[in-house]
Amino acid sequence: DGHVDGEVALPPGDVGFVKVRAGAACHVPIGQLGGMLGLSAGDEDRPAGPPDVTGPAVHGALSCGILRPLDYGGLCNAVRPGSLPLSDMFAAGGPGQIRGFLPSGVGPRSSRGGPRTPGGDALGGDLFYAATAAASAPLPRSLGALRSNG
């Protein structure tokens, strides 16, 4: 699956910019990898139908974004990269984007931060990209109580 979305800030606001984000993800059951690579998966006799999604699978995702200021002939203040408010900048990190990092944990930081912000506050950026690869497998039947109850 994939997505593209954009945002444009126009006058009479005090900032102007265009912001575009895009991403794609692919989820493939491991049993289907052989067929995708031209190898025999041994299930030629299996009737055609929806893919088997109950077994182990591999997952991959890519995402990126770019933010560019616009001044609309002087109607908006932002005229150079880095001059936009922090709330409009990209922030990377967190379980939904880059696992193992705190939200906004990846990218440029200020020289000082609050007591809960090691290394300084996140400043955000005008460009980002991220790639993720993962594998998943169902719980074994011996843990059936967990499967049924969350």
Side-chain angles (χ1 to χ4, degrees):
D1 62 17
H3 73 277
V4 175
D5 63 82
E7 180 180 345
V8 179
L10 303 167
D14 59 349
V15 295
F17 63 84
V18 61
K19 185 176 186 178
V20 179
R21 287 178 290 267
C26 182
H27 311 280
V28 180
I30 290 177
Q32 292 182 354
L33 283 177
M36 292 178 67
L37 299 174
L39 306 172
S40 174
D43 49 330
E44 291 85 8
D45 298 331
R46 198 180 106 191
D52 176 25
V53 293
T54 60
V58 292
H59 316 277
L62 299 170
S63 59
C64 61
I66 188 165
L67 170 68
R68 288 291 170 235
L70 302 171
D71 70 353
Y72 297 103
L75 293 174
C76 294
N77 296 329
V79 294
R80 66 188 189 289
S83 63
L84 293 169
L86 292 177
S87 61
D88 293 322
M89 305 294 271
F90 290 113
Q97 194 172 46
I98 304 175
R99 290 180 187 206
F101 290 89
L102 293 171
S104 302
V106 178
R109 304 189 93 61
S110 66
S111 59
R112 288 190 270 163
R116 296 183 188 182
T117 312
D121 293 327
L123 298 176
D126 56 8
L127 175 72
F128 90 94
Y129 55 92
T132 303
S136 64
L139 288 173
R141 293 198 186 280
S142 60
L143 299 174
L146 289 175
R147 293 178 82 171
S148 300
N149 299 315

